[in-house]
């Protein structure tokens, strides 16, 4: 869920940036920009100048530099089983003790750089290298692949949290069940139905009249949901979760029995009926 | 109302499970073993006495640190595979290890305690020759790297380059070694073949050439093994042809010729055809090497020699001896020598054979292999043997010969030298031994390179077999049958009582002492057939039998003389189902170049070789075919087709040949010739010859065939069709003979490259479907199963991986619902296709498999990060609608989304990543819900997956307390209300 929200936010940012670019008069955003923008020059470190090599074949081989950071964790605790991967494992780099990393001998092209760690999660970054060896980093977008949202280079990889591999087991605790508002709504009327007649003296005619009056008032309000309906809705299993697999389907398959029974109750008991009726239906 | 509560509880517990791992399931039914590969360099950390580190660099481009007490990995760094990640050299000084990677392209320095990278330096291109640590005034400060045409010096603490110099005349002179004795000079040694040796002397500070000289050496063929520098700068070389040693002081100016010492004067002789090897030792890079050295004269003859005052004197002759190595601890240098322990072999001679037979079960036939070696320690400077330092090394009768010896020497409290050794054998077993021969740990590194594997059911126990046997026999009267049934039931009852008693007995003992050790004798099938035998074939030719539940290696067998580039194919001919016939596996070993093959038949449970006569295969084998036809011993028949299209049957008894003649007209097979782009189909004739019936040619100028896959033979499809939203049925096109052929274009240009997919009927050769994926390139991974084909390719236009799914349907009506025949299918199938973006690279792809095929399928995707993603096939359904309608909702179709989700909850191996996944093996278990998964690559990971969750067993967290409390509650409630109702009735009656 969280990631989806994140991506939506990213998309928003992307749109904004696009608008900005357009307003500034930048024309087309090519996949590989050959001309060097002023930012490029600024972000270059002295180190970067010496990382371009020309191999005997003539093609450019560059070194991709960056830094990875896991906030609140010492580097030596996580770097020994982390790797920097470019496009799968076609190019591999390792992380230094200060968190910096470099991937050497990368020919020109466009790559997705990711940090693979069994414990921590990092957002991948797309790295574009031109034929002359210029580099830039941008956000990975597999759907709109030509969209450019620049990221700083040398790369700053920041951990977005630990991997969540496990799902929580559903535990069933009595207090959870009893404190459920639905259960409370069901139990309280039951108590009232059972206890009220005993507490009140039904032979008193004044009381009888008063009760009838209040009953009429209640029933006249048609918009109030019926208790029976609430109860049936509660007992029929939620539909939305039955999608994950065949097993879930099996559960749903089991459920119609429940649902069918419940709807029968709904059909049998008209809306305008006393609460006593409901109670009788349910004690069957 | 009460039943509603129960129902609610059950449905709740079922609903909230998803196809992921729960935290409490960690390690419950899964395990991982990590491997490193064949060790090329191993260094013990001698920095401190208490250190347990053993640094290794392997041929799998792995650099790791092993705990020398337990054999576990402290850390491991897996570089990219191939020559670019190849580790050329490993040097160690203090806490740091320097590694030269990728033919001298990178220089990395690692901190060895936690495995962090200290620095990384990129070197100039050039083929790597040698690397050495350089010391100045007793301190090691630099590392020198020698390339073919240049030498560079780097600072050890920062990695910065001090200087780089081109070597003089590098186009004619082959420079091979560096030497530095700690006196401020670096010597680079090179030679011109059959001419002279070149010695160049560099100053450490600035790389200035101090001196350069060449010395006549017409006999020289290689510097690396036959030369060594010993004792303050003396170059020593050995020549096999002239049977001589040559010495030359490196520094002196007056010597212009090497001094020749005939080996005869030392009473030595090099074995003919053997390239002698010189081994010297330099304990401290800042000091000159020792004057003592080993000379290996033949594969089992070493001699320790000493150079003293220009004279060579033998210190000790080791004949016979397999391996010799130096080790240093503190100031003392020792030599460890492995010699055959002769008493074991000679004692088990004919006179002792009877006794031996009673001791050793496998004595017969393996007698000559039953050998032990003893390793002894000698002081390097005198050659004197250290007392009480013998380590007995028992060789595995099913293993290979030892070929490397690594010695870890340490000083004991009484200042004497103690040592431990690590022995590496031909079959890549690492054994760590300590005195007097205790195996501290063992690693089976052959498993780092698993080629193929199968899972075999475990045999039944005696009682189970007894019960099974009842059904197999022909009926012999009613009464005996009843009696038999009763007796077997009684036996079962007995076994159950014994089991209960054991449970009760074990429950009283503390947890730790109850250890269920799996041995080969206690193996038996469990009630759901979840535990199986994994038979793994490795590239080195070693076979393993591994228990799938615990990962214990139960048997291993090394096949000697396997060519390094062999192709293996493992076939299960008979499973364990045919008691009392033992299960039978056949391994076809095929040479990659010649195609000549041989068969190795063995019992997969015990690993023993069967004594069945195997057909000789004089011609290259093109194709193998396992038929469902069985012989009288219930072994499936294997057909081997050679390059003249002749068929050999195995087993080839009369019974089998008769059956083959009867069924020959319905046996078809296909051959693929990717070099000519030809697919051809053949039919078997009565006389076991073949006839060509179809041929499909895919022009090789345009595209080449990269893979051909049929469907798995053991796959079951449960439902014939799919129920649509309007209650009609869409029937699947289930052609068991369908082949998926994947081609790639020869043009690799980004705009013009494509991937082709052909679906061809293997019997008729009819092309059922053809698809082209433009602007795509490989590597293509694909799964072909049921009526669908899923493939992954690289979209070179958008630079992303894409999944595509093809599903074949017959339509609303089934042509012939009883039997499928390729020859009689007039209507072409309807083909549906959809593609998706997969936001990660892929290493391998496989589909889950279950017993009856009822469970929904998942795709298992191996990712380069080491995770295995379990992706529901539901996401790869070409009928996913773009617009949701009432019908699609009825069918449970997920609306189409271009990007495939990757959720970390779907990683079946959570943080137990598997490096370099090469294959995923899936096997059904006895439970329909459960599929067994083995992932292999550099590591091996075994687990179970439940694609539709565990619908046929109670889950681990099943709430027994709740269900029983509800039941009891209801019971008492009815009792009480009954009583109350009675009382009420009575009262009413009285009123």
């Amino acid at each position: 869920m969280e990631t989806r929200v994140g991506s939506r936010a990213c998309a928003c940012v992307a749109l904004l940036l696009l608008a900005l670019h357009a307003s500034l008069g930048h024309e087309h955003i090519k996949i590989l920009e050959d001309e060097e923008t002023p930012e490029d020059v600024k972000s270059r470190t002295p180190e970067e100048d010496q990382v371009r090599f020309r191999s005997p074949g003539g093609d450019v081989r560059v070194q991709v530099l960056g830094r990875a950071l896991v906030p609140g964790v010492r580097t030596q605790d996580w770097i020994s089983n982390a790797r920097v991967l470019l496009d799968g494992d076609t190019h591999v780099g390792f992380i230094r003790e200060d968190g910096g990393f470099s991937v050497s001998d990368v020919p020109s092209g466009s790559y997705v750089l990711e940090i693979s760690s069994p414990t921590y999660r990092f957002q991948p970054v797309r790295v574009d290298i031109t034929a002359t060896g210029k580099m830039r980093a941008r956000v990975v977008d597999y759907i709109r692949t030509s969209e450019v949202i620049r990221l700083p280079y040398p790369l700053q990889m920041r951990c977005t949290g630990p991997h969540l591999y496990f799902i929580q087991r559903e535990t069933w605790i009595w207090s959870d069940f009893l404190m459920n508002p639905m259960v409370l709504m069901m139990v309280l009327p039951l108590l009232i139905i059972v206890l009220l007649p005993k507490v009140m003296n039904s032979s008193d005619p004044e009381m009888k009249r008063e009760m009838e009056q209040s009953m009429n008032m209640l029933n006249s309000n048609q918009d109030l949901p019926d208790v029976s309906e609430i109860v049936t809705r509660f007992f029929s299993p939620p539909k939305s979760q039955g999608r994950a697999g065949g097993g879930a389907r099996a559960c749903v398959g089991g459920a119609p029995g429940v649902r069918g029974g419940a709807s029968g109750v709904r059909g049998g008991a008209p809306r305008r009926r006393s609460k006593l009726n409901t109670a009788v239906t349910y004690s069957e | 109302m009460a039943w509603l509560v129960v129902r609610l509880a059950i449905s709740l517990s079922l609903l909230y499970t998803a196809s992921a791992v729960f935290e409490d399931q960690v390690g419950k039914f899964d395990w991982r073993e990590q491997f490193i590969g064949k060790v090329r360099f191993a260094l013990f950390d001698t920095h401190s006495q208490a250190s347990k580190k053993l640094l290794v660099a392997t041929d799998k481009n792995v650099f790791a640190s092993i705990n020398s007490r337990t054999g576990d990995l402290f850390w491991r760094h897996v570089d990219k595979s191939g020559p670019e990640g190849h580790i050329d050299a490993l040097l160690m000084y203090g806490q740091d290890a320097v590694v030269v990677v990728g033919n001298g392209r990178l220089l990395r320095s690692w901190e060895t305690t936690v495995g962090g990278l200290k620095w990384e330096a990129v070197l100039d291109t050039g083929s790597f020759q040698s690397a050495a640590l350089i010391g100045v005034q007793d301190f090691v400060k630099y590392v020198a790297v020698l390339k073919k045409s240049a030498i560079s010096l780097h600072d050890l603490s920062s990695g910065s380059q001090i200087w780089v110099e081109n070597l003089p005349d590098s186009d004619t002179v082959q420079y091979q070694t560096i030497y530095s004795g700690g006196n401020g000079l670096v010597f680079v040694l090179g030679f011109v073949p059959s001419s002279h040796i070149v010695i160049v002397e560099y100053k450490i500070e600035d790389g200035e050439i101090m001196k350069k000289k060449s010395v006549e050496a017409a006999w020289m063929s290689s510097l690396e093994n036959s030369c060594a520098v010993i004792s303050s700068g003396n170059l020593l070389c050995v020549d096999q042809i002239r049977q001589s040693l040559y010495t030359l002081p490196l520094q002196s100016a007056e010597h212009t010729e090497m001094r020749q010492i005939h080996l005869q004067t030392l009473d030595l002789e090099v074995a003919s055809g053997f390239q002698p090897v010189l081994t010297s030792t330099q304990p401290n890079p800042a000091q000159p090497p020792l004057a003592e050295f080993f000379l290996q004269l033949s594969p089992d003859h070493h001699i320790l020699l000493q150079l003293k005052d220009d004279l060579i004197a033998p210190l000790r002759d080791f004949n016979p001896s397999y391996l010799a190595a130096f080790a240093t601890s503190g100031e003392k240098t020792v030599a460890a020598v492995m010699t055959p322990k002769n008493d074991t072999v000679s004692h088990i001679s004919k006179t002792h054979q009877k006794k031996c037979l009673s001791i050793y079960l496998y004595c017969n036939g393996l007698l000559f292999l039953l050998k032990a070696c003893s390793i002894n320690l000698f002081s390097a400077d005198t050659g004197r043997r250290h007392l009480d330092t013998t380590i007995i090394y028992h060789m595995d009768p099913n293993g290979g010969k030892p070929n490397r010896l690594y010695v870890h020497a340490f000083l004991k409290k009484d200042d004497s030298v103690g040592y431990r050794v690590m022995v590496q054998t031909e079959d890549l077993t690492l054994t760590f031994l300590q005195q007097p021969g205790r195996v501290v740990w063992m690693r089976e590194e052959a498993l780092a390179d698993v080629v193929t594997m199968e899972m075999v059911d475990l045999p039944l126990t005696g009682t189970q077999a007894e019960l099974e046997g009842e059904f197999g026999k022909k009926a012999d009267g009613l009464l005996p049958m009843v009696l038999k049934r009763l007796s077997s039931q009684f036996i079962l009852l007995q076994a159950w009582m014994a089991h209960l008693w054991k449970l009760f007995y074990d429950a009283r003992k503390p947890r730790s002492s109850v250890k269920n050790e799996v041995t080969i004798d206690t193996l038996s099938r469990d009630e759901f057939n979840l535990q199986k035998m994994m038979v793994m074939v490795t590239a080195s030719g070693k076979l393993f039998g591994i228990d799938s539940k615990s990962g214990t290696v139960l048997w291993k067998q090394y096949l000697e003389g396997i060519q390094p580039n062999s192709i293996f194919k493992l076939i299960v001919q008979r499973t364990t189902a045919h008691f009392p016939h033992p299960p039978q596996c056949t391994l076809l070993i095929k040479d990659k170049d010649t195609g000549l093959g041989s068969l190795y038949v063995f019992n997969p449970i015990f690993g023993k070789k069967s004594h069945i006569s195997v057909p000789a295969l004089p011609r290259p084998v093109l194709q193998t075919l396992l038929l469902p036809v069985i012989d009288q011993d219930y072994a499936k028949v294997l057909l081997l087709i050679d390059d003249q299209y002749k068929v050999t049957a195995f087993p080839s008894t009369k019974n089998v040949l008769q059956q083959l003649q009867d069924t020959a007209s319905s046996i078809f097979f296909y051959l693929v010739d990717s070099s000519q782009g030809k697919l051809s189909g053949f039919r078997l004739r009565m006389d076991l010859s073949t006839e060509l019936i179809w041929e499909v040619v895919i022009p090789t100028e345009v595209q080449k065939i990269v893979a051909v896959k049929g469907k798995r033979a053991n796959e079951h499809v449960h439902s014939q069709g799919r129920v649509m939203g309007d209650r009609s049925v869409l029937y699947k096109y289930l052609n068991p003979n369908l082949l998926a052929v994947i081609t790639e274009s020869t043009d690799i240009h980004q705009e013009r490259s494509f991937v082709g997919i052909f679906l061809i009927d293997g019997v008729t050769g009819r092309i059922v479907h053809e698809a082209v994926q433009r602007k795509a390139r490989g590597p293509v991974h694909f799964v072909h199963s049921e009526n669908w084909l899923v493939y992954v390719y690289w979209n070179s236009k958008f630079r992303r991986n894409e999944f595509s799914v093809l599903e074949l349907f017959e339509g609303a009506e089934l042509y012939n619902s009883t039997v499928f025949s390729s020859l009689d299918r007039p209507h072409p199938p309807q083909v549906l296709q959809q593609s998706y973006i997969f936001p990660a690279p892929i290493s391998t792809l496989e589909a889950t498999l279950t017993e009856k095929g009822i469970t929904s399928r998942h795709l298992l995707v191996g990712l380069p990060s080491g995770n295995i993603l379990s992706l529901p096939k539901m996401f790869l359904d070409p009928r996913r609608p773009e617009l949701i309608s009432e019908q699609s909702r009825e069918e449970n179709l997920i609306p189409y989304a271009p990007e495939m989700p990757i959720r970390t909850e779907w990683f079946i191996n959570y943080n137990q990543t598997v490096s370099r996944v090469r294959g995923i093996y899936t096997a059904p278990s006895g439970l329909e819900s459960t599929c067994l998964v083995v992932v292999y690559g550099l590591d091996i990971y075994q687990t179970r997956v439940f694609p539709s969750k565990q619908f046929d067993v109670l889950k681990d967290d099943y709430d027994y307390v709740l269900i029983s409390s509800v039941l009891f509650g209801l019971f008492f409630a009815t009792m009480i209300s009954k009583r109350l109702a009675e009382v009420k009735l009575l009262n009413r009656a009285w009123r």
Side-chain angles (χ1 to χ4, degrees), chain B residues 600-643:
Chain B
Y600 177 80
V601 185
F602 62 99
N603 178 335
I605 302 297
F606 301 107
K608 271 181 280 180
K609 189 177 175 177
S610 303
H611 297 290
I612 296 173
S613 62
V614 182
L617 302 169
R619 303 214 55 91
V621 178
L622 294 183
Q623 175 74 292
T624 55
L625 194 61
L626 189 70
L627 296 182
V629 176
I630 50 171
D631 72 348
Q632 68 272 34
D633 291 338
Y634 305 100
K636 282 185 184 163
V637 176
L638 181 70
L639 293 188
L640 301 148
I641 296 112
D642 65 19
D643 63 342

Side-chain angles (χ1 to χ4, degrees), chain A residues 31-32 53-56 61 63 76-77 79-83 85 87-98 100-105 109-112 114 116-119 121 124 126 128 138 141-146 163-174 177 186 190 231 234-238 241-255 257-258 261 282-284, chain B residues 1 3-5 7-9 11-12 14-26 28 74-81 84 105-106 108 110-111 114-120 122-125 794 797-801 837-841 843 856 858 864-865 867 872 874 889 892-895 898-899 904-907 909-913 915-916 947-949 951 955-957 959 962 965-966:
Chain A
I31 293 178
L32 297 177
F53 299 95
R54 204 163 274 275
S55 69
R61 295 271 171 150
Q63 199 173 17
Q76 55 260 49
D77 293 342
I79 54 169
S80 64
N81 43 21
R83 291 198 296 168
L85 303 176
D87 268 11
D89 48 5
T90 45
H91 300 278
V92 177
F94 298 100
I95 299 166
R96 284 194 302 271
E97 284 174 321
D98 59 353
F101 61 84
S102 62
V103 184
S104 311
D105 270 1
S110 178
Y111 304 89
V112 173
E114 56 183 329
S116 111
S117 158
T119 335
R121 191 175 63 212
R126 188 174 277 282
D128 297 329
R138 58 187 171 112
D141 190 335
Y142 284 106
I143 297 172
R144 287 179 299 269
T145 48
S146 53
H163 281 304
L164 300 170
Y165 292 116
F166 305 110
I167 49 170
Q168 286 292 312
R169 272 209 195 277
E170 281 300 317
T171 47
W172 208 90
I173 305 165
W174 280 106
F177 178 74
M186 195 176 68
L190 262 176
V231 170
F234 173 60
F235 277 118
S236 62
Q241 260 128 335
R243 199 187 263 169
R249 218 182 300 145
C251 309
V252 177
V258 181
Y282 267 87
S283 58
E284 272 172 6
Chain B
M1 183 179 153
W3 68 268
L4 271 175
V5 174
R7 208 49 186 276
L8 173 87
S11 61
L12 270 180
L14 275 173
L15 263 173
Y16 287 114
T17 51
S19 57
V21 188
F22 296 105
E23 198 153 6
D24 52 78
Q25 285 180 326
V26 166
K28 210 166 174 183
F74 279 126
W75 46 261
R76 182 181 72 168
H77 290 292
V78 182
D79 209 335
K80 65 179 145 182
S81 47
E84 284 187 64
R105 192 76 175 93
L106 290 171
R108 287 195 182 118
W110 297 93
E111 204 282 325
V114 294
L117 184 64
K118 287 189 81 166
W119 51 261
E120 186 179 73
V122 185
L123 308 184
D124 294 335
T125 49
W794 173 259
K797 188 183 176 195
F798 293 113
R799 288 185 299 258
R800 63 193 180 200
N801 275 298
I837 301 164
F838 189 71
S843 302
S856 60
H858 275 207
S865 60
N867 290 114
M874 265 178 116
R889 203 175 294 140
N892 260 337
L893 292 175
I894 310 164
E899 196 166 340
T904 43
E905 289 95 335
W906 291 348
F907 289 159
N909 57 342
Y910 46 104
N911 65 358
Q912 305 285 297
T913 52
S915 288
R916 293 208 196 115
S948 297
K949 280 152 274 176
F951 59 81
K955 288 188 293 86
D956 321 336
D957 66 337
D959 208 334
L962 174 73
S965 56
V966 166

Side-chain angles (χ1 to χ4, degrees), chain B residues 97-330:
Chain B
V98 177
V99 178
V100 186
V101 180
N103 206 2
R105 192 76 175 93
L106 290 171
L107 199 60
R108 287 195 182 118
S109 173
W110 297 93
E111 204 282 325
T112 55
T113 334
V114 294
L117 184 64
K118 287 189 81 166
W119 51 261
E120 186 179 73
V122 185
L123 308 184
D124 294 335
T125 49
S127 103
F128 172 81
Q129 298 296 334
S130 170
L133 293 171
I134 308 290
V136 184
Q137 291 155 355
D138 285 355
F139 287 104
V140 179
K141 273 187 169 172
Y142 309 109
V143 57
V145 179
L146 179 71
K147 298 283 192 80
K148 197 175 180 307
S149 58
I151 176 170
S152 58
L153 198 74
H154 299 262
D155 188 74
L156 202 55
S157 55
S158 69
S160 58
Q161 185 174 287
I162 310 288
W163 50 261
V164 59
E165 290 295 325
N166 282 330
L167 296 165
D169 310 325
S170 61
D171 43 348
T172 51
V173 185
Q174 296 178 16
Y175 292 98
Q176 283 188 331
T177 43
I178 313 177
Y179 161 72
S180 168
N183 50 0
L185 293 171
V186 181
F187 295 90
V188 175
L189 311 176
F191 73 104
V192 178
S194 315
S195 174
H196 58 273
I197 297 179
V198 179
I199 299 157
V200 190
E201 210 175 299
Y202 286 94
K203 212 166 123 187
I204 285 181
E205 285 77 33
D206 51 5
E208 188 190 338
I209 295 181
M210 303 297 285
K211 218 182 286 170
K212 176 177 178 280
K213 66 176 176 182
S214 59
V215 178
E216 197 72 19
W219 40 268
M220 178 72 78
S221 61
S222 166
L223 260 170
E224 255 174 314
N225 279 329
S226 59
C227 286
V229 179
I230 52 164
S231 139
S232 59
N234 272 298
L235 180 68
L236 186 77
C237 292
V238 62
D239 179 36
Q240 177 226 339
I241 296 155
R242 299 196 190 179
Q243 298 273 346
S244 313
L245 285 168
Y246 295 88
T247 62
L248 176 78
L250 287 173
Q251 264 170 302
S252 68
E254 61 267 29
H255 286 83
T256 51
E257 216 170 68
M258 293 189 91
R259 198 160 60 85
Q260 187 178 14
I261 303 162
H262 282 283
L263 283 173
Q264 269 180 338
T265 59
L266 300 164
D267 278 342
L268 297 173
E269 196 189 351
V270 179
S272 62
F274 181 77
Q275 176 67 43
V277 179
L278 278 171
T279 316
S280 67
T281 179
Q282 187 173 9
N284 186 349
Q287 272 159 15
L290 298 186
E292 292 78 25
F293 60 95
F294 271 113
L295 173 63
Q296 190 179 6
L297 296 163
S298 78
D300 54 357
H301 186 189
H302 291 79
I303 184 161
L304 184 66
L305 298 161
Q306 188 183 38
L307 181 78
K308 209 171 189 181
D309 309 328
D310 282 358
L311 284 172
I312 289 177
L315 289 178
R316 197 174 180 119
D317 194 359
F318 302 101
N319 191 12
S321 60
Y322 292 139
L323 299 164
F326 284 111
T328 305
S329 177

Side-chain angles (χ1 to χ4, degrees), chain B residues 588-605:
Chain B
L588 173 72
I589 306 150
K590 208 162 82 171
D591 193 286
K592 202 171 197 168
D593 301 324
T594 61
L596 287 171
S598 62
L599 292 176
Y600 177 80
V601 185
F602 62 99
N603 178 335
I605 302 297

